[in-house]
Amino acid sequence: MTLGPLENNSSSIASSFLLSGIPGLEHMHIWISIPLCFIYLVSILGNCTIVFIIKTEPSLHQPMYLFLSMLALTDLGLSLCTLPTVLGIFWIGARDIGHNACFAQLFFIHCLSFLESSVLLSMAFDRFVAICHPLRYASILTNTVIGRIGLASLGRSVALIFPLPFMLRRFPYCGSLVLSHSYCLHQEVMKLACADIKANSIYGMFVIVSTVGIDSLLILFSYALILRTVLSIASKVERFKALNTCVSHICAVLLFYSPMIGLSVIHRFGKQAPHLVQVIMGFVYLLFPPLLNPIIYSVKTKQIRDRVTHAFC
């Protein structure tokens, strides 16, 4: 007997997905949870510290540091989105996640990921103005402009990701509802649907191209202009100082885009890739940027480093 659309939909929503830990190492999950807890602790503490220092230090209320605080808040949100399910699996083996909870989690993960892409683009624009138009820096990047950039970035991310949970919810799900990661991603969940997912696949590709694709190209273009300006500076010392202000941002860009693009390519085209590669790439994609960004900026940015040292020493 064939179920009607309404019955089928109700049945699918009532069931659950199964999240996965690290395949073949289930007996080691409790030990693996120790470094994972450490990563989450350092990520949360590091990003909260960055936000607190920038908020409480008036001399850091400048465009570069305001964008850095946006990056820290985004990284903090990403850590908090994945923490319950990841630690639930590795601590107590809680693999079940309801469909609605899964759709909500993937909404926040993708929304914050694309928001981080926007923030990194904003930081590239900040470096471009600071190096290429230093005399106009304060007049171009006012607090009002920075606020509008932040709201526009958030609005774009929410608007593009908002349809995804509803597009997924209309599908029936059958067979083995096992996800490859310890959290929900759109590209994984849609593959479990017992229906035509062509529209989801096309829309997902459109979202990636219109966010990560465009942002990465604009970042690359901004650095081409920055490099052209730096090479026109006569003094080698001044060249080095100008480029040194970009090192932290370049590291953050590489740390974010490399695993994100790699994971997307594996999910869409790397069907023969070992499952363990997908799992590791997934952890690198969501755990390492929030962990390493505060460390990179604390080490490379003197103002942040001095205040972190003063706060903890």
Side-chain angles (χ1 to χ4, degrees):
M1 177 179 174
T2 304
L3 295 176
L6 183 59
E7 292 174 282
N8 213 347
N9 187 57
S10 300
S11 173
S12 67
I13 296 303
S15 59
S16 301
F17 294 116
L18 282 178
L19 300 171
S20 300
I22 299 180
L25 295 177
E26 287 80 5
H27 62 288
M28 296 286 291
H29 276 184
I30 191 64
W31 296 105
I32 296 172
S33 70
I34 296 174
L36 287 176
C37 285
F38 177 76
I39 289 173
Y40 276 115
L41 182 63
V42 174
S43 299
I44 293 170
L45 180 62
N47 286 295
C48 285
T49 300
I50 294 288
V51 172
F52 177 77
I53 288 173
I54 293 173
K55 183 177 185 301
T56 57
E57 181 56 55
S59 65
L60 297 181
H61 293 176
Q62 302 173 30
M64 174 182 174
Y65 301 108
L66 294 177
F67 285 128
L68 177 56
S69 67
M70 292 181 192
L71 181 67
L73 286 170
T74 305
D75 281 338
L76 183 62
L78 278 172
S79 294
L80 295 176
C81 279
T82 59
L83 185 148
T85 54
V86 171
L87 294 188
I89 289 172
F90 286 91
W91 271 353
I92 58 176
R95 297 181 60 195
D96 283 6
I97 182 169
H99 283 203
N100 288 338
C102 185
F103 300 154
Q105 185 183 49
L106 70 84
F107 168 79
F108 285 109
I109 288 176
H110 289 299
C111 187
L112 289 168
S113 294
F114 295 135
L115 177 58
E116 181 152 344
S117 178
S118 298
V119 173
L120 289 172
L121 174 60
S122 303
M123 296 174 83
F125 178 65
D126 167 77
R127 291 299 83 207
F128 163 74
V129 176
I131 293 172
C132 300
H133 303 284
L135 298 180
R136 300 173 57 200
Y137 182 70
S139 61
I140 293 175
L141 287 172
T142 62
N143 288 341
T144 301
V145 170
I146 294 170
R148 287 175 179 172
I149 290 174
L151 288 175
S153 300
L154 179 61
R156 183 185 74 161
S157 300
V158 171
L160 287 173
I161 302 303
F162 188 75
L164 291 184
F166 300 98
M167 294 174 73
L168 291 171
R169 188 174 181 181
R170 65 191 175 90
F171 291 140
Y173 295 92
C174 56
S176 176
L177 301 183
V178 179
L179 299 170
S180 300
H181 301 290
S182 304
Y183 44 82
C184 297
L185 295 176
H186 170 256
Q187 56 265 43
E188 269 226 305
V189 173
M190 71 176 182
K191 291 178 182 178
L192 301 180
C194 303
D196 183 7
I197 60 170
K198 187 176 180 180
N200 281 63
S201 185
I202 293 173
Y203 184 73
M205 183 62 72
F206 164 74
V207 170
I208 291 175
V209 171
S210 61
T211 53
V212 176
I214 292 177
D215 291 352
S216 57
L217 287 176
L218 290 175
I219 290 172
L220 193 62
F221 179 65
S222 68
Y223 271 104
L225 297 177
I226 287 171
L227 191 58
R228 186 183 68 175
T229 300
V230 168
L231 291 177
S232 68
I233 300 174
S235 171
K236 289 184 179 180
V237 175
E238 291 300 319
R239 285 185 199 171
F240 176 78
K241 287 175 65 177
L243 288 175
N244 194 48
T245 63
C246 301
V247 171
S248 298
H249 179 253
I250 292 173
C251 291
V253 168
L254 293 175
L255 191 62
F256 174 75
Y257 283 109
S258 299
M260 185 184 199
I261 293 173
L263 184 64
S264 180
V265 169
I266 287 174
H267 274 298
R268 289 184 178 276
F269 308 110
K271 295 181 180 179
Q272 304 304 319
H275 180 60
L276 186 60
V277 173
Q278 292 186 29
V279 173
I280 293 175
M281 188 68 76
F283 279 121
V284 172
Y285 159 52
L286 283 181
L287 298 186
F288 276 59
L291 170 68
L292 296 179
N293 281 339
I295 297 173
I296 291 170
Y297 276 94
S298 296
V299 170
K300 291 298 298 178
T301 309
K302 184 178 183 301
Q303 293 86 338
I304 298 290
R305 183 174 67 246
D306 290 346
R307 281 152 184 82
V308 169
T309 303
H310 177 73
F312 291 97
C313 297

